[in-house]
Amino acid sequence: MPKDSGIGASSKRREDVRFLTGAGHYTDDIDLRGQAYVHFLRSDVAHGTLKNVDTSAAEGMPGVVRVFTGADFAEVGGLPCGWQITDREGNPMQEPAHPVLAQGKVRHVGDPIAAVVAETREQARDAAEAIEVDIDDLPAVVDMKAALKDGAPKVHDELTSNLCYDWGFVEENREAVDAAIKSAAHVTRLELRNNRLVANPMEPRVAVGDYSRSTGESTLYTTSQNPHVIRLLMGAFVLGIPEHKLRVVAPDVGGGFGSKIFHYAEEAFCTFAAKALNRPVKWTSSRSEAFITDAHGRDHVTTIELALDKDNNFVALRTETHANMGAYLSTFAPSVPTWLHGTLMAGNYKTPLIYVNVKAVFTNTVPVDAYRGAGRPEATFQLERVIDKAARELGVDPVELRRQNFITEFPYATPVAVEYDTGDYNATLDKLLEIADLAGFEARLAESKKNGKLRGLGVNCYIEACGIAPSHLVGQLGARAGLYESATVRVNATGGLVVMTGSHSHGQGHETSFAQVVADMIGIDENMVEIVHGDTANTPMGMGTYGSRSLAVGGSAMVRATEKIIAKARKIAAHLMEASEADIELKNGQFSVAGTDKSVAWGDVTLAAYVPHNYPLEDIEPGLEETAFYDPANFTYPAGAYACEVELDPDTGKVTIEGFAAADDFGNVVNPMIVEGQVHGGLAQGIGQALLENCAYDEDGQLLSASYMDYAMPRADDVPFYRVDHSCQTPCTHNPLGVKGCGEAGAIGSPPAVVNAVIDALQRAGRDVTHIDMPLSPSRVWDAMNKG
């Protein structure tokens, strides 16, 4: 029977009431008294030397408060990078400066040159158009491999080349991998691209800076996934503001998908300008600006080789990837193609030897950073495509080739430095075969043929690492911040709780699921628990929300803080019932003495905590409030198996997804409805990458897909009704909830399933097509069908 409340119940999302009735409170809803508006003048060329920026005409225009240029930020720190990578030789990556406003050069279309602050948005925009900018155009470099050639234009003159780093992992495996591939019975080789993507959350980025001269405090309201990290980076490394004098508030946020993790120039500018002008300053991104300022995702070009023995066992894997960094290093960009990608190249399989090489490259394009999945989709796509190609070359069933090579014993230490604690990949694959109705595929194939269409079936498996940790390990790997999480639980005298968390919610339903966890532990109604997040002034220091870490890390911090609360409340209950603390039990909101009928209600105990008449204060101090920090011992490792069924129109190349099934192992599930919604959303984004989305530049660095006229987002009729299952649960062994991540799984597992299905359809129809790069647009599919 489904549960009605607590852990395991599909409680309705409490936050949806305000969202659906228009009562949400977003950053753009914030308008402060005396507020001015900023408009950024951005470069319309990808690469050039700034000879002169003449602001005189703009300064005299109506409503203009002040015009800022790079010269105003000469003494201000640049935007910091939060992760340092060392190369194969142990040398640190090349790390160029990233100014708030361009200084000396512009390096991508959209690079901010000047900023006009005026009384209205319209006045700021009009004045920006009056600024005269003299730029000497320089050759732009967009293609990564071309950027590494001798004589290529340098994005940053102070660097030795456009190579950020050349990373090898695991370096000591390289010679053994080379030898294993050379002597293998069969080697499958594949070149592929993980296309560049734009995140496109519903809510564009917004920043509002405020300053109080009387207290010397600065406040930034921003659309951020991790306000504490923004406070740390901007305060300490950019503007030099002590943390106790800087407040960062991220109210309701309309989606992020990774693009709102990072610290952006507009946030630093609004905070700086508010103090300089002693009045609030607000910026709201247009959708056009978002395309040329928000960090993009993916953009990897990879060659992958899989070696098998005569019995079709995987013996070695080797990849060489070029990863685009764009013009600057975004906050966590260096970690994405390395530690978040290379460590997942084992996938679900017991391949004994793996070597991963990544060359990160600067180009005259928008910076690239984490996007839903961050490194794990890239790894899964490479691995699952090359396995599918190997199965076809060997003439074996792609499902059985995977099953034969599954890891089956846990814990399992991979050759790429991570240890999977639990999993059951056969169980998820078996469940997939059941819910995808593979037995009925031949009948559906015959029906498609009768209608003049091609039909294909693609299957793949995935594993991902969530809740990146622990802090001491990631610190050794180059992280410049801890990756713990925090929670403060405050119990009111009448028994209600306020839980203040460093995790941030931007669509995941935390206010519901977090409340379920705490209420379940105590045995009270979920409505007695309030979740507070997003404001550094009233939440403990935390690392925010990304990488499917919220429940595994943030939820575990809540569990630890609530355990402290219960322990203290048990002492009080023991005093009230004149019993031994060891005999006190808590169940369904009642403290009782084991083996007796003595009991006292949760609310009576909490009232006694604040009105301590019935126990000696020298033993227990008043109040019920506790804080806990949780630093996980390991990643969590959700895994699953996906199947996609497609139909192709041979006349047009159009691909239609006829069915999609997903069987996932997320460990223990707190709210099944929310989990299913997360999978649905991830599948839509993964299908978007596979079939529709593509961020394209021309050779001069102009973005060709800079609006929804050119960048194709998935719509309702592009996706099917999904069949989703998460009943195959192997709980995580090292966090108190036994949970794994679920927010990115759909986006990780779906792209290779879609591509595998399309290739299957073409090969069943006799077309000699082994790979098509994403997105599989009608023109690309038609060209592949009709080549030669």
Side-chain angles (χ1 to χ4, degrees):
M1 289 288 291
K3 290 186 65 175
D4 294 328
S5 63
I7 293 176
S10 289
S11 300
K12 290 184 178 179
R13 292 178 17 140
R14 60 172 69 177
E15 49 269 78
D16 286 353
V17 174
R18 71 174 186 272
F19 294 150
L20 294 173
T21 59
H25 187 61
Y26 299 88
T27 307
D28 197 46
D29 294 323
I30 297 171
D31 290 305
L32 304 178
R33 185 176 180 181
Q35 172 178 288
Y37 298 85
V38 61
H39 183 88
F40 291 94
L41 176 66
R42 302 185 182 277
S43 176
D44 59 3
V45 300
H47 198 197
T49 301
L50 279 173
K51 295 184 65 178
N52 186 46
V53 181
D54 185 353
T55 64
S56 56
E59 289 166 355
M61 292 184 67
V64 172
V65 178
R66 182 171 167 182
V67 181
F68 294 82
T69 66
D72 294 295
F73 288 83
E75 304 303 318
V76 173
L79 304 183
C81 179
W83 203 297
Q84 183 185 70
I85 295 297
T86 54
D87 67 14
R88 291 163 51 191
E89 308 300 326
N91 301 312
M93 66 188 185
Q94 296 202 90
E95 189 172 356
H98 187 178
V100 175
L101 295 178
Q103 298 179 12
K105 282 180 74 174
V106 291
R107 296 180 174 86
H108 69 88
V109 172
D111 218 355
I113 297 171
V116 178
V117 179
E119 300 294 342
T120 69
R121 287 191 180 93
E122 293 74 17
Q123 289 171 331
R125 184 179 62 245
D126 291 345
E129 293 176 356
I131 297 174
E132 295 184 7
V133 180
D134 187 3
I135 298 179
D136 267 354
D137 285 11
L138 296 171
V141 60
V142 174
D143 180 83
M144 287 182 282
K145 293 182 180 180
L148 296 180
K149 292 181 178 178
D150 291 341
K154 284 203 292 184
V155 179
H156 295 273
D157 296 334
E158 69 274 21
L159 304 185
T160 59
S161 70
N162 291 320
L163 181 67
C164 178
Y165 56 76
D166 183 354
W167 183 78
F169 186 68
V170 174
E171 191 64 25
E172 53 265 33
N173 286 353
R174 182 162 54 148
E175 290 185 4
V177 169
D178 292 347
I181 290 175
K182 187 174 181 179
S183 62
H186 182 86
V187 177
T188 294
R189 187 176 187 273
L190 182 61
E191 295 184 9
L192 51 81
R193 174 182 289 274
N194 254 285
N195 39 325
R196 181 184 278 237
L197 305 171
V198 182
N200 284 305
M202 286 192 299
E203 178 198 24
R205 290 192 297 115
V206 184
V208 184
D210 194 16
Y211 178 72
S212 171
R213 182 176 291 176
S214 62
T215 64
E217 294 179 355
S218 293
T219 300
L220 170 68
Y221 302 91
T222 183
T223 48
S224 175
Q225 297 176 217
N226 49 4
H228 281 281
V229 173
I230 302 305
R231 183 182 68 169
L232 173 65
L233 294 177
M234 188 176 74
F237 299 104
V238 185
L239 302 181
I241 304 172
E243 283 188 86
H244 69 285
K245 291 293 185 181
L246 177 59
R247 177 188 179 198
V248 177
V249 182
D252 288 330
V253 172
F257 313 121
S259 69
K260 293 175 183 173
I261 299 172
F262 323 119
H263 177 37
Y264 288 96
E266 295 85 2
E267 295 169 322
F269 176 85
C270 289
T271 307
F272 178 89
K275 182 176 181 180
L277 302 173
N278 193 34
R279 63 184 294 186
V281 175
K282 181 174 184 177
W283 170 75
T284 300
S285 173
S286 68
R287 188 60 68 178
S288 296
E289 274 187 296
F291 272 91
I292 57 174
T293 62
D294 292 6
H296 293 170
R298 316 284 194 256
D299 206 352
H300 286 192
V301 176
T302 298
T303 299
I304 182 169
E305 294 167 288
L306 175 66
L308 302 92
D309 66 17
K310 62 181 178 58
D311 297 316
N312 296 339
N313 297 307
F314 301 167
V315 295
L317 185 77
R318 179 172 62 200
T319 74
E320 180 177 319
T321 290
H322 287 75
N324 204 334
M325 295 288 99
Y328 302 101
L329 289 178
S330 179
T331 308
F332 292 114
S335 69
V336 174
T338 51
W339 299 111
L340 298 183
H341 158 236
T343 52
L344 267 294
M345 284 310 304
N348 308 63
Y349 312 103
K350 52 181 186 285
T351 312
L353 289 168
I354 299 174
Y355 179 71
V356 178
N357 176 240
V358 178
K359 294 176 176 64
V361 186
F362 292 111
T363 63
N364 294 115
T365 62
V366 172
V368 178
D369 208 320
Y371 172 72
R372 199 169 191 168
R376 288 93 84 198
E378 294 90 318
T380 299
F381 186 71
Q382 297 168 32
L383 187 57
E384 293 299 316
R385 282 294 299 121
V386 79
I387 291 173
D388 226 60
K389 186 170 186 277
R392 297 183 189 285
E393 290 174 352
L394 294 166
V396 299
D397 183 345
V399 170
E400 294 310 313
L401 181 62
R402 289 174 169 85
R403 194 189 294 275
Q404 174 182 334
N405 285 280
F406 275 162
I407 297 162
T408 55
E409 296 182 3
F410 297 88
Y412 177 82
T414 76
V416 279
V418 294
E419 182 176 279
Y420 305 159
D421 60 330
T422 60
D424 190 340
Y425 310 145
N426 278 303
T428 51
L429 184 56
D430 289 342
K431 177 59 70 171
L432 176 75
L433 301 182
E434 174 191 328
I435 65 174
D437 184 25
L438 265 63
F441 175 75
E442 292 299 328
R444 297 189 292 275
L445 175 64
E447 184 67 20
S448 293
K449 286 181 177 178
K450 188 171 72 173
N451 296 325
K453 301 293 179 65
L454 311 183
R455 198 175 191 95
L457 175 67
V459 173
N460 75 276
C461 300
Y462 80 91
I463 187 169
E464 66 158 323
C466 299
I468 181 170
S471 292
H472 78 273
L473 173 60
V474 298
Q476 295 172 31
L477 303 181
R480 290 165 170 166
L483 290 172
Y484 54 84
E485 202 44 77
S486 62
T488 294
V489 178
R490 178 182 299 154
V491 184
N492 300 318
T494 53
L497 294 88
V498 178
V499 180
M500 292 155 279
T501 173
S503 296
H504 186 276
S505 180
H506 44 281
Q508 297 90 339
H510 292 172
E511 293 171 38
T512 302
S513 55
F514 286 170
Q516 287 179 255
V517 170
V518 175
D520 192 85
M521 292 179 68
I522 299 169
I524 58 177
D525 190 278
E526 296 164 16
N527 292 321
M528 293 179 67
V529 183
E530 179 186 359
I531 306 298
V532 175
H533 63 90
D535 186 343
T536 61
N538 57 24
T539 56
M541 176 71 177
M543 294 294 106
T545 294
Y546 44 85
S548 299
R549 71 193 305 267
S550 301
L551 264 178
V553 188
S556 294
M558 291 178 204
V559 169
R560 295 297 184 229
T562 304
E563 288 173 341
K564 293 181 181 180
I565 290 288
I566 292 172
K568 183 175 179 181
R570 184 178 283 115
K571 293 176 187 279
I572 298 172
H575 277 281
L576 294 178
M577 292 186 286
E578 299 180 335
S580 169
E581 182 186 335
D583 294 331
I584 302 300
E585 298 175 342
L586 173 60
K587 187 176 181 181
N588 297 327
Q590 291 281 126
F591 289 95
S592 60
V593 181
T596 76
D597 59 358
K598 280 187 175 182
S599 67
V600 61
W602 166 258
D604 293 333
V605 173
T606 61
L607 182 62
Y610 290 94
V611 187
H613 295 163
N614 298 310
Y615 58 88
L617 290 178
E618 60 268 21
D619 292 344
I620 307 171
E621 65 184 21
L624 271 178
E625 182 172 329
E626 298 289 348
T627 295
F629 287 78
Y630 178 79
D631 199 345
N634 192 2
F635 298 95
T636 69
Y637 297 98
Y642 288 4
C644 178
E645 206 165 307
V646 300
E647 197 171 65
L648 275 64
D649 185 335
D651 295 327
T652 66
K654 179 175 173 56
V655 177
T656 303
I657 297 182
E658 296 296 320
F660 204 108
D664 298 289
D665 174 6
F666 296 135
N668 293 336
V669 172
V670 169
N671 188 310
M673 179 186 68
I674 288 177
V675 166
E676 187 164 337
Q678 286 288 304
V679 174
H680 284 190
L683 292 175
Q685 285 190 272
I687 289 169
Q689 176 178 7
L691 295 182
L692 298 161
E693 300 181 49
N694 191 40
C695 185
Y697 284 88
D698 70 11
E699 61 184 11
D700 296 319
Q702 293 293 330
L703 183 59
L704 300 176
S705 51
S707 76
Y708 290 149
M709 295 291 290
D710 308 294
Y711 188 91
M713 294 280 283
R715 298 177 297 183
D717 61 354
D718 292 311
V719 297
F721 286 97
Y722 309 112
R723 294 184 290 272
V724 173
D725 180 272
H726 42 75
S727 63
C728 301
Q729 298 175 1
T730 59
C732 176
T733 60
H734 54 78
N735 69 56
L737 288 167
V739 297
K740 305 177 182 182
C742 71
E744 298 160 297
I748 293 168
S750 53
V754 174
V755 178
N756 287 347
V758 172
I759 299 302
D760 181 65
L762 294 174
Q763 294 207 345
R764 287 176 187 272
R767 307 306 207 276
D768 183 21
V769 179
T770 59
H771 181 70
I772 306 172
D773 274 329
M774 299 184 291
L776 275 64
S777 61
S779 61
R780 288 186 178 185
V781 174
W782 191 92
D783 284 344
M785 283 192 294
N786 294 278
K787 66 178 182 179

